[in-house]
């Protein structure tokens, strides 16, 4: 179920604004699931990657004009 939610969120985010990477949108989607069983079941490497991609998104988003 979590993967369906993630895929749906990525699709919606890309439809709204397609200027960022898949990884950025994936990280944003997973942030909403932190603390859930699905998030906790991710490998530590995946969690670290999501955190890093979210940080990159935040930096890049500050330098990008709104659509």
């Amino acid at each position: 179920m979590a993967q369906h939610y993630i895929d749906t969120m990525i699709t919606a985010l890309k439809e709204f604004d397609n200027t960022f990477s898949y990884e950025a949108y994936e990280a944003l989607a997973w942030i909403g699931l932190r603390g859930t069983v699905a998030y906790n079941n991710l490998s530590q490497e995946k969690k670290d990657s999501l955190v890093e991609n979210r940080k990159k998104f935040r930096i890049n988003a500050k330098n990008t004009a709104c659509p």
Side-chain angles (χ1 to χ4, degrees):
M1 181 156 169
Q3 190 58 51
H4 173 73
Y5 171 79
I6 295 300
D7 293 339
T8 301
M9 286 300 298
I10 291 169
T11 299
L13 289 166
K14 289 183 84 164
E15 287 176 5
F16 178 73
D17 178 12
N18 196 21
T19 58
F20 297 101
S21 69
Y22 173 89
E23 291 79 12
Y25 295 125
E26 179 186 32
L28 291 174
W30 273 109
I31 292 305
L33 294 177
R34 279 189 299 183
T36 65
V37 172
Y39 184 87
N40 292 338
N41 285 338
L42 296 174
S43 69
Q44 188 59 50
E45 181 180 359
K46 181 65 174 180
K47 291 178 199 174
D48 292 344
S49 174
L50 292 169
V51 169
E52 187 60 31
N53 286 329
R54 190 183 117 240
K55 286 179 186 177
K56 289 178 186 176
F57 170 81
R58 291 184 74 188
I59 291 167
N60 292 331
K62 289 180 183 178
N63 299 319
T64 304
C66 292

